[in-house]
Amino acid sequence: MSTGSGERHYPFDTTVAHPARVYNYWLGGKDNFAADREAGERAVTAGAKILPGVRANRAFLRRAVRHLAGEAGIRQFLDIGTGLPSAGNTHQVAQEVAPESRVVYVDNDPIVLAHARALLTGEAGTTDYVDADARDTGKILEQASRTLDFDKPVAVLFLMILQYIPDADDPTGIVHDIMQAMPPGSYLAHSDTALDVSADANVVRSADKLNERMPTTQNLRTTTRLATYYAGLDLVEPGLVQLPQWRPDEEVDPTLILSAYCGVARKP
């Protein structure tokens, strides 16, 4: 679903918080500014389990990519809304399992782009970066095809990014259009914060506090809405579940309850 409006870039204004840099702050990174730290702290102090959640999401990325590169035999990855690099990036996890894996990252924040260029130096041909908004699916597919072969299965990752796309831009349509371009045997891996007050009574308050400081808003959706992203796909076990519940390993605290959900699904 290319929006037809061309590239959408957040203004490079360090006095305004950006989701990728706020997330970097929550992970303990250094690639953020005062506005990002303030927005992040406002959300954390509102009471939601944000810090355990961002760690759980990184752990899900590692488990999902290991599964996809290992058991599922996927050798191509399209990571949309990748954010700032940190330990255990998609290409590192995938290429640890299968060194021949090809990975394309997609983001449109200038700081993310600068880090990506530095990170990918010397890795041309196996890892690439597309400077595009997640909503510009036409550009994503066109430029990702420089590195990925869409005649062979691809794992598409939308991790903690669709929650920043408003309903007016049809996040379900974005996922469906990307997956429609993928061949059978491809996979979707997805995670998002959900509107689940039974899991975290403070999730709405924290989202409201975060949105007060960002030009883009976090849109909390029910798990029923999140399930629409997987329409036409076959969810692998254990289905759409809270982050710590997806194929946990020794890194995961099984008692952790989060209003953040994830899933992996195969295109038949």
Side-chain angles (χ1 to χ4, degrees):
M1 184 195 69
S2 179
T3 62
S5 59
E7 295 182 43
R8 303 187 191 186
H9 285 271
Y10 296 108
F12 187 53
D13 182 353
T14 61
T15 67
V16 177
H18 183 280
R21 299 194 301 265
V22 172
Y23 196 83
N24 175 263
Y25 170 66
W26 285 334
L27 281 171
K30 301 183 183 302
D31 300 302
N32 49 73
F33 298 94
D36 307 306
R37 295 189 286 274
E38 181 187 359
E41 278 302 308
R42 287 176 67 87
V44 169
T45 56
K49 292 175 276 191
I50 290 175
L51 299 184
V54 296
R55 291 191 291 267
N57 188 60
R58 293 299 295 184
F60 166 67
L61 181 154
R62 292 189 289 271
R63 298 196 306 279
V65 172
R66 281 199 299 263
H67 166 76
L68 291 165
E71 183 178 334
I74 297 294
R75 295 295 179 264
Q76 302 189 107
F77 295 81
L78 179 58
D79 188 344
I80 300 176
T82 180
L84 285 156
S86 60
N89 298 292
T90 299
H91 75 283
Q92 294 166 326
V93 178
Q95 291 167 3
E96 182 179 340
V97 176
E100 69 272 26
S101 296
R102 306 173 77 84
V103 180
V104 173
Y105 293 108
V106 179
D107 210 297
N108 71 336
D109 177 70
I111 292 183
V112 176
L113 177 59
H115 277 272
R117 285 173 173 156
L119 178 70
L120 304 184
T121 299
E123 299 190 34
T126 59
T127 309
D128 200 2
Y129 183 92
V130 173
D131 179 15
D133 190 285
R135 291 164 287 202
D136 197 349
T137 57
K139 179 178 181 181
I140 291 170
L141 292 169
E142 177 187 3
Q143 296 197 8
S145 68
R146 298 175 307 196
T147 301
L148 305 180
D149 180 356
F150 290 145
D151 290 328
K152 298 178 181 178
V154 178
V156 179
L157 281 64
F158 283 99
L159 302 188
M160 291 290 168
I161 181 63
L162 295 172
Q163 61 190 359
Y164 294 109
I165 296 176
D167 290 342
D169 288 327
D170 190 13
T172 301
I174 291 170
V175 175
H176 290 178
D177 283 356
I178 290 286
M179 294 307 298
Q180 186 175 23
M182 301 298 131
S186 294
Y187 284 81
L188 168 68
H190 155 260
S191 64
D192 263 327
T193 307
L195 182 58
D196 183 359
V197 294
S198 65
D200 191 336
N202 295 311
V203 65
V204 174
R205 184 166 178 261
S206 288
D208 288 343
K209 290 294 184 182
L210 181 64
N211 290 340
E212 289 174 0
R213 289 293 186 270
M214 291 203 303
T216 186
T217 58
Q218 184 184 40
N219 303 275
L220 300 179
R221 299 181 171 102
T222 65
T223 54
T224 300
R225 286 286 307 280
L226 299 186
T228 66
Y229 301 151
Y230 303 92
L233 308 176
D234 298 328
L235 274 163
V236 303
E237 291 295 331
L240 179 61
V241 295
Q242 292 181 17
L243 286 168
Q245 298 170 3
W246 199 89
R247 304 192 177 201
D249 57 17
E250 65 279 358
E251 294 182 88
V252 178
D253 176 1
T255 67
L256 182 61
I257 305 299
L258 295 172
S259 182
Y261 285 73
C262 63
V264 174
R266 184 181 185 274
K267 182 175 180 177

